[in-house]
Amino acid sequence: MNTTLGFAFTVLGLSASVLGCLGGAYALITNKTHLLKPVRQWAWLVFLAGVGAFVVMEVALFQRDYSVGFVQKVGSDATPPLYNFAALWSALEGSLIMWTLMLGGYIAAIMLKFKERLNDPLFGWALVVMLAVSGFFFALLVGPSNPFVDTAIPANFVGPGPNPLLQNHILVAFHPPMLYLGYVGFTVPFAFAIAALITGRVGEGWLVETRRWTVAAWGFLTFGIVLGAWWSYEVLGWGGYWAWDPVENASLLPWLTGTAYIHSVMVQERRGMLRVWNLSLLCATFSLTILGTFLTRSGVIDSVHAFADGAIGPWLLAFFAVVSGTSVGLIAWRGDRLRSPGAIDSPVSREASFLANNVLFGALAFVVLLGTVFPLLAESFDGTRLTIGRPYFDSMARPIAFVMLFLMASAPVLPWRKASNELLSERLFWPAIAAVGSMALAIILGGRGFYPMLTFGLGGFAAGAAVRQVVLATRRQGWRGFVGRTNGGMIVHIGVVLLAVGIAASESYKTDRTETLLPGQTMTVAGNTFTYEGLAADETSQRVKIFANVRINGDEVYTPGTSLYLTQGMNVATPSVKPGFTEDLFLVLDQVPDDRNPEGPVRLRVVVRPMITWLWIGGILMSVGTLLALFPGQRRRGTEAVSAAVTEPVPV
Amino acid sequence: MNSMIGRWLVIGLAVVGLLGFATFDSNEPETEGERIQRLHESFACPQCDGQSVAESNAAVAAEIRNSITNEVADGATDTEIRDQLIAGYGGDVLLNPPSEGFSALIWILPVVVAVFGVGGLVAVIRRDDGGSRTASDADAALVAEAREQS
């Protein structure tokens, strides 16, 4: 029953997408507006199909309907409800269902948003592009990775359940959906970009239309990535939060180009410049979400959390080729209309800073992509097997990040067109004082070392510039000084500074120690004492957890352990973290006595990371800032349709 | 004007002074524990997809950790430890790729991109104003509508 119904929904999604896409393209090419109406009905059916497939799969998971192939793969009698719900996105096929659900949701949302402009060719083409994309994903569900395969149930089958790593922390319920909302969300601006190219309306109109959609998608992606880092820290028990693993890199790539885009788009809105560049960035962002899916879902790259499945690899690669080929072709075709009408007057100006920002984000994206795919290239070139790990990425990203922090301080105070030295001196004075002040404070608190100190200084500088903008705006506009793109953006910047400080302090000043302890013995790490008080066990139907009772500083007891997931026979480390605003104490049980002898020695690893909590606070602040940026702000000057020369004097 | 220059001189001196102090005050010689930790972090666990041996719980990672600790106790240099591990586990035990042969590209390409990026930036900033500044009526209408909505 569930298999038939679910499969019917995916077939409905595929057919409605294809019919809507072809019908829409025909109506738009032949200018037959009355034929556009059925396209919208097909689009609503796509939304319905996405919701239907999702609901059917969730129902099947809760009914433990093992005749559904996907449920047999990830379902289990023992999985608690929350993780059973989240099991839908714990493997490839289900995550594609989530993709189509969200894409259908975005399609429905833009139809509601543009309901008065449904016959506008710009909107029509955007809808056609989105239906083409949804057609591709439904085709994957119908063809090579069908989750609704009718499968014979082995005798006494109770199901393996999702990967144990995906069922021991609440963040599993939030991190993947957030990330996907971001990935899929970039389809909307991409569709409008393609529509602008096809209709030839490549002015600034489509940018203004999609601004909020882009910012929202970026916000989801940001939050999703931060939640992923947090999950990795709380669950994986390796003592860190970001491993430059291919799957992490795949999520970072579209984030980097997307971040470049939401900055450089302001140059186009304001001055009409960089049209080709902005279209390319947007198309690159969307293409990179597909390429990232290919790299991590086709099995070409091994990763801790890639779902290897060779079957859809060629499909994704072909789709990536079509998307990037179409984008490049259309941009070349519209080359004459895309010529920029303006020029940059001075390197010391807002627009020049945005350009420099783009070069930095582009360079970082290149380095991350290179480091991710280089082992593949090297192996196919001469069979060399090599590892590109954290030291490489760190050494490449560090200098770029420092220049970015510097630009975060200088760019927001710079006016458009050009700035005088006096103006710069005045506007940068307080941010510079903040920089000196934060360095001095860090030294008083015991901070040393070149790189962390540079981070604190540049962080203070950037935070100073952001606070200056918000203070001036609130003085002028009251509470509205916190909302709108500029002010919300500054809140995001403050979040970035906290994140940078959290990374610098927790990496530079971390202490990592492993010792073997007998019951009653104590180890001391960075001024904290850890007393091992004995081994204990805790058993549920799902898992057996063996844990050590460790008393920290003679006070509370923490319980790092390992859990044996019964249905999968897999052992998973379960770290225990004592968080704090000044430092986190991270405990991992490295080794228990073979016979679980409570009198025997255990190996305890303790990582002390100062200020890592500020990384999460920074990430949350970035999301809050994004929300504030989505509220309509008060514009001092309206958006100009073309770049007009700025004639009035620059306000001080 | 002069007061402006003086003000920034003071700020600049303060920054250099604080950075210099923070850099050189911490220059204590590396302890043996710190050296072992640094070495652990620079080698990959061969079975763990790019995790360092410091981070991994795998048996082979523990084996490499022990061998590094023993070598350090025997007074081996970093290069000797490195060569020994490559001989035992293959070139992909290095987390930082070597800068010779084909893999030198991974260090060269970013430099090439940086040069082109900066060159392109300078070229765009210096470019002359050209082209027209007219928008189509459709553009203006779209902007007007978007303004109304927001």
Side-chain angles (χ1 to χ4, degrees):
Chain A
M1 173 62 195
N2 284 328
T3 50
T4 319
L5 192 58
F7 187 67
F9 274 120
T10 58
V11 172
L12 172 72
L14 175 61
S15 344
S17 300
V18 170
L19 289 169
C21 178
L22 294 178
Y26 174 76
L28 288 160
I29 289 169
T30 56
N31 244 333
K32 291 177 179 153
T33 316
H34 63 281
L35 289 179
L36 280 172
K37 195 158 179 254
V39 176
R40 300 194 289 270
Q41 286 157 354
W42 292 124
W44 280 111
L45 282 178
V46 169
F47 170 62
L48 179 77
V51 175
F54 181 84
V55 170
V56 171
M57 186 52 85
E58 285 296 355
V59 168
L61 279 167
F62 275 91
Q63 290 175 342
R64 268 81 181 180
D65 180 355
Y66 296 121
S67 66
V68 178
F70 186 72
V71 179
Q72 197 168 112
K73 192 164 151 188
V74 304
S76 140
D77 288 356
T79 314
L82 174 74
Y83 300 117
N84 198 23
F85 183 77
L88 184 130
W89 48 84
S90 69
L92 175 71
E93 295 87 345
S95 70
L96 290 172
I97 296 181
M98 186 160 75
W99 195 297
T100 56
L101 169 77
M102 286 172 177
L103 190 50
Y106 276 112
I107 288 175
I110 66 158
M111 286 201 297
L112 291 177
K113 165 84 181 162
F114 291 89
K115 59 178 181 293
E116 269 123 47
R117 295 243 315 274
L118 294 173
N119 288 332
D120 180 343
L122 185 76
F123 172 77
W125 279 111
L127 190 57
V128 165
V129 173
M130 292 190 74
L131 288 173
V133 177
S134 76
F136 171 75
F137 281 97
F138 274 113
L140 290 181
L141 284 178
V142 171
S145 64
N146 179 0
F148 293 103
V149 181
D150 203 345
T151 314
I153 308 171
N156 300 325
F157 189 74
V158 289
N163 183 330
L165 288 172
L166 301 180
Q167 43 176 327
N168 65 1
H169 201 285
I170 175 96
L171 281 175
V172 165
F174 298 99
H175 153 60
M178 283 294 153
L179 205 58
Y180 274 48
L181 277 172
Y183 284 153
V184 182
F186 276 111
T187 315
V188 176
F190 167 75
F192 275 85
I194 296 292
L197 284 166
I198 292 175
T199 55
R201 279 156 52 182
V202 291
E204 279 57 66
W206 69 273
L207 287 181
V208 180
E209 311 267 9
T210 55
R211 188 162 67 201
R212 293 223 172 89
W213 298 85
T214 317
V215 172
W218 182 88
F220 283 127
L221 191 56
T222 307
F223 196 47
I225 292 175
V226 174
L227 286 181
W230 200 352
W231 172 80
S232 168
Y233 177 70
E234 295 280 340
V235 171
L236 292 185
W238 59 279
Y241 47 87
W242 187 265
W244 295 105
D245 164 280
V247 175
E248 293 167 349
N249 293 349
S251 69
L252 190 62
L253 284 170
W255 186 85
L256 290 171
T257 52
T259 310
Y261 171 78
I262 58 179
H263 287 92
S264 68
V265 76
M266 291 186 248
V267 180
Q268 184 175 350
E269 283 178 22
R270 191 61 177 247
R271 304 277 320 270
M273 295 185 296
L274 308 181
R275 290 176 172 181
V276 173
W277 178 241
N278 284 323
L279 283 165
S280 310
L281 273 179
L282 205 43
C283 295
T285 302
F286 181 71
S287 306
L288 283 171
T289 64
I290 306 295
L291 183 70
T293 313
F294 164 71
L295 287 176
T296 54
R297 297 291 176 260
S298 64
V300 292
I301 288 182
D302 291 331
S303 149
V304 184
H305 51 348
F307 313 144
D309 180 346
I312 69 161
W315 288 64
L316 285 164
L317 198 58
F319 189 59
F320 170 73
V322 169
V323 167
S324 37
T326 312
S327 310
V328 171
L330 282 172
I331 291 173
W333 176 52
R334 288 296 188 192
D336 57 326
R337 294 206 192 192
L338 288 168
R339 207 154 293 143
S340 356
I344 290 179
D345 304 289
S346 158
V348 190
S349 65
R350 181 79 65 85
E351 48 270 55
S353 306
F354 278 138
L355 270 183
N357 150 309
N358 273 219
V359 171
L360 291 168
F361 275 98
L364 187 52
F366 175 80
V367 171
V368 173
L369 183 62
L370 181 71
T372 309
V373 300
F374 198 78
L376 279 182
L377 300 179
E379 193 163 4
S380 58
F381 176 74
D382 59 0
T384 326
R385 284 188 55 82
L386 37 89
T387 314
I388 313 281
R390 162 190 292 287
Y392 174 79
F393 289 106
D394 279 355
S395 61
M396 288 290 164
R398 196 184 285 126
I400 296 178
F402 284 131
V403 188
M404 281 176 180
L405 277 175
F406 178 80
L407 277 181
M408 272 172 61
S410 62
V413 308
L414 282 174
W416 296 90
R417 316 278 305 190
K418 65 167 83 166
S420 68
N421 287 342
E422 287 77 9
L423 181 90
L424 266 186
S425 167
E426 181 182 324
R427 291 189 177 179
L428 281 175
F429 179 68
W430 286 109
I433 296 296
V436 173
S438 43
M439 286 166 78
L441 181 67
I443 287 180
I444 292 168
L445 293 175
R448 293 291 186 276
F450 178 74
Y451 287 129
M453 206 48 62
L454 194 59
T455 315
F456 302 147
L458 288 171
F461 200 29
V467 170
R468 174 187 173 276
Q469 158 74 26
V470 174
V471 166
L472 290 180
T474 43
R475 244 187 237 164
R476 206 166 44 230
Q477 307 164 358
W479 65 271
R480 278 189 165 276
F482 285 107
V483 301
R485 184 171 53 176
T486 316
N487 306 317
M490 289 303 114
I491 307 282
V492 175
H493 278 194
I494 296 173
V496 175
V497 168
L498 292 182
L499 187 126
V501 167
I503 292 174
S506 70
E507 290 295 330
S508 309
Y509 305 138
K510 83 167 177 209
T511 317
D512 189 336
R513 194 139 306 156
T514 308
E515 281 181 29
T516 305
L517 300 175
L518 285 164
Q521 283 187 326
T522 297
M523 69 190 277
T524 307
V525 185
N528 297 285
T529 58
F530 302 85
T531 310
Y532 170 51
E533 300 194 331
L535 217 53
D538 166 46
E539 206 163 326
T540 69
S541 63
Q542 192 193 1
R543 52 151 183 79
V544 180
K545 181 178 172 186
I546 315 279
F547 58 91
N549 285 313
V550 179
R551 196 174 290 279
I552 299 182
N553 295 329
D555 193 12
E556 289 152 286
V557 173
Y558 284 77
T559 55
T562 66
S563 295
L564 176 67
Y565 280 79
L566 301 166
T567 50
Q568 306 211 329
M570 184 169 157
N571 243 322
V572 170
T574 45
S576 181
V577 189
K578 179 175 194 272
F581 289 114
T582 51
E583 65 182 14
D584 269 24
L585 309 177
F586 184 97
L587 310 180
V588 195
L589 190 58
D590 242 12
Q591 226 169 49
V592 293
D594 289 335
D595 48 2
R596 292 191 207 161
N597 170 13
E599 302 300 315
V602 296
R603 248 165 47 134
L604 184 66
R605 177 168 172 225
V606 175
V607 188
V608 178
R609 282 184 179 271
M611 295 182 76
I612 192 171
T613 302
W614 293 96
L615 206 166
W616 321 128
I617 295 176
I620 291 166
L621 199 58
M622 287 173 76
S623 314
V624 172
T626 310
L627 277 178
L628 294 172
L630 289 172
F631 276 94
Q634 206 171 47
R635 320 201 113 255
R636 276 189 291 168
R637 250 168 294 164
T639 310
E640 292 138 32
V642 276
S643 68
V646 177
T647 45
E648 68 262 56
V650 179
V652 178
Chain B
M1 189 67 196
N2 277 333
S3 73
M4 182 176 105
I5 292 175
R7 184 197 260 184
W8 284 99
L9 261 177
V10 172
I11 291 175
L13 279 175
V15 168
V16 172
L18 289 167
L19 258 184
F21 175 75
T23 310
F24 294 110
D25 188 52
S26 63
N27 262 1
E28 295 158 17
E30 189 178 39
T31 65
E32 192 173 283
E34 284 165 352
R35 180 166 168 228
I36 291 172
Q37 181 66 26
R38 173 172 59 78
L39 286 167
H40 284 177
E41 283 173 8
S42 63
F43 292 101
C45 156
Q47 292 166 2
C48 329
D49 305 320
Q51 271 192 333
S52 78
V53 296
E55 294 156 351
S56 170
N57 300 325
V60 60
E63 186 185 306
I64 296 179
R65 279 199 300 265
N66 285 337
S67 102
I68 290 174
T69 311
N70 293 338
E71 301 255 344
V72 167
D74 291 350
T77 66
D78 287 2
T79 327
E80 284 164 8
I81 295 176
R82 189 191 116 136
D83 293 344
Q84 196 130 10
L85 286 174
I86 292 178
Y89 299 93
D92 52 341
V93 78
L94 292 177
L95 272 177
N96 227 0
S99 50
E100 62 229 20
F102 182 75
S103 50
L105 272 182
I106 196 156
W107 299 102
I108 296 167
L109 284 177
V111 176
V112 174
V113 166
V115 169
F116 271 91
V118 173
L121 187 64
V122 172
V124 171
I125 288 175
R126 289 197 168 166
R127 190 171 57 183
D128 271 342
D129 194 351
S132 70
R133 292 189 178 208
T134 49
S136 65
D137 294 345
D139 278 344
L142 282 173
V143 171
E145 196 157 346
R147 261 190 216 157
E148 260 167 44
Q149 285 174 355
S150 54

